[in-house]
Amino acid sequence: MPDSSLTLISHPLCPFVQRAAIVLLEKGVSFDRINVDLDNKPDWFLALSPTGKVPLLKAALADGRDATLFESMVICEYLEETQSGGRLYPEDALSRAQQRAWIEFGTATLADAWQFLNASDGATSDAKRAAFRNKLQQLETAVTAEPYFSGAAFGMVDAVYAPIFRYFDILDPAVRQPIFEGLPRVTAWRTALAARESVIAAVGEHYADRFRQHLRLHKALLAN
């Protein structure tokens, strides 16, 4: 394991940041966190981030150099390979590859969820709600054990989906319940993830209020 001091460069609402934060917390790694205003990006941040996005992971190495990683799954896999703590991928190569495929699916699922949540017109809202519901139906057949995606052990797939499901815990039950209706495995999984200590700690205590404010600022239908 490299001798390093880790800093997670973050935004309070970013679900991709939450992936990295959950992995750091699961590994029991001490780290600092710096939030960036993405509407007014500082020069130091733009110098570090080729994409202008979060998360970034900055490592102060033992030889005095700083190394910076970008892209959430690159960061998560680096942490898996270099840090102690519970392993988040299975040892079996096929199972590991299958989980990575569901992680890719998770990014598409997040895109549908985000567009539904932020929709400002009925047509977009209905289309993206249906697309997200379709993704959940596919996940229902993939989740074959409890409480987590692959059974008793919390893994990398769980770290990816927890930030998606978190949004729906904030919504009015009248909006949330029809989306998850008839999906008992996904519902049980979502409940287990919401109770996980690392998932809870991956965001600040005012996360829900911040997210509601975000919806209002973007004139989302769900803000009403």
Side-chain angles (χ1 to χ4, degrees):
M1 182 181 74
D3 181 10
S4 64
S5 176
L6 299 176
T7 301
L8 182 64
I9 300 172
S10 169
H11 181 274
L13 292 180
C14 178
F16 296 101
V17 167
Q18 291 176 49
R19 296 176 176 184
I22 290 168
V23 172
L24 285 160
L25 291 162
E26 286 289 330
K27 296 286 185 181
V29 178
S30 177
F31 67 100
D32 296 321
R33 189 165 182 169
I34 298 174
N35 284 324
V36 171
D37 181 356
L38 295 179
D39 291 325
N40 186 24
K41 299 171 186 175
D43 290 341
W44 66 262
F45 169 73
L46 292 172
L48 291 175
S49 177
T51 63
K53 298 178 182 178
V54 291
L56 300 177
L57 184 72
K58 185 177 180 183
L61 303 178
D63 63 4
R65 292 181 300 120
D66 284 344
T68 303
L69 296 175
F70 62 101
E71 296 295 339
S72 64
M73 288 314 302
V74 172
I75 292 169
C76 290
E77 301 222 352
Y78 170 77
L79 294 170
E80 172 75 350
E81 292 173 8
T82 63
Q83 304 299 317
S84 58
R87 308 311 296 172
L88 298 178
Y89 277 125
E91 293 296 327
D92 174 68
L94 177 60
S95 297
R96 198 162 57 247
Q98 289 171 328
Q99 291 195 11
R100 286 187 169 120
W102 284 110
I103 285 169
E104 287 294 317
F105 189 81
T107 299
T109 303
L110 172 59
D112 287 334
W114 184 253
Q115 291 174 60
F116 163 67
L117 293 163
N118 286 275
S120 57
D121 64 272
T124 301
S125 178
D126 290 346
K128 292 303 175 180
R129 179 190 179 281
F132 177 63
R133 166 77 180 182
N134 179 261
K135 295 287 197 309
L136 295 180
Q137 289 172 324
Q138 292 174 276
L139 283 164
E140 182 73 10
T141 66
V143 180
T144 57
E146 291 186 16
Y148 302 117
F149 182 81
S150 296
F154 184 95
M156 195 69 78
V157 177
D158 301 297
V160 166
Y161 283 88
I164 304 173
F165 293 148
R166 189 194 308 275
Y167 293 126
F168 294 86
D169 293 330
I170 298 171
L171 298 184
D172 187 313
V175 175
R176 177 179 67 242
Q177 288 172 357
I179 295 173
F180 289 88
E181 187 177 8
L183 303 172
R185 292 174 181 172
V186 167
T187 297
W189 182 31
R190 180 170 66 87
T191 300
L193 291 178
R196 185 80 177 184
E197 185 176 344
S198 64
V199 173
I200 295 168
V203 297
E205 61 179 328
H206 301 299
Y207 173 86
D209 290 338
R210 285 178 180 270
F211 183 65
R212 293 187 188 101
Q213 182 182 30
H214 163 86
L215 293 180
R216 290 192 294 271
L217 287 173
H218 288 78
K219 297 181 170 56
L221 293 179
L222 291 177
N224 298 331

